[in-house]
Each structure stands twice: as structure tokens, then as C-alpha cells.
């Protein structure tokens, strides 16, 4: 597929020249094959462009200004729509081209087709980074399991010791051990009675 960019080589407008340079420079940077078609030197190019720009995209005077961008016979847009696509990292979609592998646009397209991302990995689907993370997670789980076994044994031993310690507290207390508590209660009651009498 060849991208056709309709230009005016002898435009008197600096704004149009800058827009044309911006489109061509960006396409070159992306290494997209394109064919610049000059409407100033070729009446056929001018007529073809005017006839193939959709009516809703033509300005009020009916004559579309360059640059106008097509993918073969299919209209892509003018400079404003190209600029919006560039800002949204969607130039390949705008041009009707598949994004190159590894590009940001390719990753976004993949995510749209395959689902959202959690913690940097794709939820529905796999990629190389996800495979590496899964492998690392499995290795961590193996390490954790081997480390957890002795820890669980230690925890079980501590629980047994705690139960034994509680059992000692639950054993009946001799009368001698209870006696100091009763004496303290009697002293508190005697003090309260004396205070009542004093009043």
C-alpha cells in the first residue's frame, strides 16, 4: 500500500508549507512509504484530490487545501486529523497501516484486542515479558515453599508451647495461693466501712 500525500510545491502560504513539511517529515521518520503528489504542477492530481476528498471533509468553499492524505484510493484525512492521530500515537491506524512490531501503537492495538494490563502484564493473553514474570513467580513460589516448611514447623512448636503455658495457668490454685487475694478484698471492704462510719 502506498500512502499518497497531495502537496502544493509552489504554495504562497507559509502555514501550508509548514503543514506539508510536518507530514512528510513524520512519515519519513516512521519510514512509511509515501508518494508526494504535487497539485500545483499536475492538473490531474489536483482534480483527483478534489474529487476524492469526502464532502463532509471539504471546507465551506468546497476546495480542500493541501496536505491531503490517502491510502491508495481511501481517504485518510487532512493535516488536522493527521496531527490529532500523531498526538494520540495512532498514526498507523490513521493511515490504515498495520503498526510495526514493538511500536507503542502496536502494543496499544494488542491491548485493545486482548484485554487490559495489570501490574505491567497483559491479563488476557501472553507476551515474552509476561512469560518471564510467570517463570520468576514460579521460582519465587518454589523458594517460598521450601522456606515456609521449616517456618511452619517452628510455628507449630510455638503453638504447642503456648498451649502448655496456658494449661499451667488453668490448673487449680492451692488455698494458700488464694488467701492473699481474699485478704486484700477484706482490707478493701474494711476500709470502705470505716469511711462510711466516719461520714
Amino acid at each position: 500500500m502506498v500512502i499518497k500525500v497531495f502537496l502544493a510545491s509552489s504554495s504562497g502560504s507559509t502555514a501550508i508549507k509548514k503543514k506539508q513539511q510536518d507530514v512528510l517529515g513524520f512519515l519519513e521518520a516512521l519510514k512509511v512509504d509515501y508518494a508526494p503528489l504535487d497539485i500545483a504542477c499536475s492538473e490531474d492530481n489536483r482534480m483527483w484530490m478534489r474529487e476524492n476528498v469526502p464532502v463532509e471533509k471539504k471546507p465551506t468553499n468546497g476546495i480542500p487545501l493541501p496536505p491531503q492524505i490517502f491510502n491508495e484510493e481511501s481517504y485518510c484525512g487532512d493535516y488536522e486529523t493527521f496531527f490529532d492521530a500523531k498526538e494520540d500515537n495512532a498514526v498507523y491506524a490513521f493511515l490504515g497501516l498495520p503498526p510495526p512490531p514493538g511500536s507503542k501503537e502496536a502494543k496499544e492495538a494488542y491491548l485493545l484486542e486482548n484485554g487490559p494490563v495489570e501490574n505491567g502484564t497483559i491479563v488476557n493473553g501472553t507476551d515474552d515479558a509476561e512469560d518471564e514474570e510467570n517463570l520468576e513467580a514460579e521460582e519465587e513460589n518454589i523458594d517460598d515453599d521450601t522456606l515456609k516448611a521449616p517456618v511452619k514447623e517452628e510455628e507449630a512448636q510455638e503453638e504447642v508451647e503456648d498451649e502448655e503455658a496456658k494449661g499451667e495457668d488453668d490448673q487449680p490454685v492451692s488455698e494458700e495461693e488464694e488467701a492473699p487475694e481474699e485478704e486484700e478484698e477484706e482490707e478493701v471492704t474494711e476500709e470502705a466501712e470505716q469511711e462510711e462510719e466516719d461520714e
Side-chain angles (χ1 to χ4, degrees), residues 60-194:
T60 52
N61 69 0
I63 302 172
L65 298 174
Q68 296 293 327
I69 305 161
F70 290 81
N71 183 337
E72 296 291 341
E73 308 296 316
S74 176
Y75 181 72
C76 297
D78 59 2
Y79 176 78
E80 282 72 25
T81 53
F82 173 81
F83 182 80
D84 291 341
K86 187 169 94 170
E87 290 294 310
D88 294 337
N89 290 319
V91 174
Y92 289 100
F94 167 80
L95 296 172
L97 299 173
S103 69
K104 186 174 183 179
E105 194 172 338
K107 290 175 185 174
E108 290 173 359
Y110 182 84
L111 294 176
L112 287 174
E113 291 175 12
N114 297 305
V117 173
E118 285 182 14
N119 298 329
T121 60
I122 299 168
V123 177
N124 299 328
T126 61
D127 62 8
D128 293 338
E130 183 178 355
D131 291 342
E132 284 181 32
E133 288 178 14
N134 288 339
L135 183 61
E136 288 174 12
E138 287 176 17
E139 290 172 357
E140 287 177 16
N141 287 340
I142 291 169
D143 292 343
D144 288 347
D145 290 344
T146 56
L147 294 175
K148 287 179 184 176
V151 171
K152 286 182 181 177
E153 289 175 14
E154 289 175 15
E155 289 174 358
Q157 182 64 31
E158 288 176 6
E159 287 178 13
V160 168
E161 290 173 2
D162 288 345
E163 289 295 323
E164 289 174 359
K166 286 181 185 175
E168 291 174 3
D169 292 341
D170 293 342
Q171 292 179 358
V173 179
S174 67
E175 288 179 19
E176 293 172 2
E177 291 175 354
E178 286 182 10
E181 291 177 9
E182 288 177 8
E183 288 176 10
E184 288 176 13
E185 288 177 13
E186 287 177 12
E187 288 176 12
V188 170
T189 2
E190 286 177 9
E191 289 176 10
E193 288 175 1
Q194 284 181 352

Side-chain angles (χ1 to χ4, degrees), residues 17-34:
K17 286 180 183 177
K18 284 182 181 180
K19 290 176 182 180
Q20 292 174 163
Q21 288 172 347
D22 188 24
V23 170
L24 295 180
F26 199 76
L27 292 176
E28 287 174 9
L30 293 178
K31 297 180 181 170
V32 172
D33 290 332
Y34 68 93

